[in-house]
Amino acid sequence: MDQQEQHGADQVRRRRVGILAFLGGVLVTLAFFAFFPGLPHVIDAGAILLAIGVGAVARWVC
């Protein structure tokens, strides 16, 4: 495998991990707001925006 093919494979792997991190962050945050005791079990616009933000931070960390 030459240098360019290796770089392409790394790019694809990094993109997949980023997408999985984003989706994981969104799902974990939405699950927290939906099932955590003591919170009103409502997914509103604020919870969705926070979930997207957490997903973006999770992708950035990866």
Side-chain angles (χ1 to χ4, degrees):
M1 207 185 277
D2 68 344
Q3 186 73 11
Q4 194 173 24
E5 289 177 3
Q6 181 65 30
H7 181 67
D10 289 342
Q11 290 278 345
V12 170
R13 189 176 318 118
R14 189 175 302 152
R15 182 170 172 84
R16 286 182 184 162
V17 168
I19 290 170
L20 289 174
F22 176 79
L23 291 176
V26 168
L27 291 176
V28 166
T29 305
L30 287 177
F32 173 79
F33 280 112
F35 299 113
F36 192 73
L39 291 176
H41 302 288
V42 175
I43 302 294
D44 60 353
I48 292 171
L49 290 175
L50 182 65
I52 291 171
V54 168
V57 168
R59 182 174 183 192
W60 177 74
V61 167
C62 279

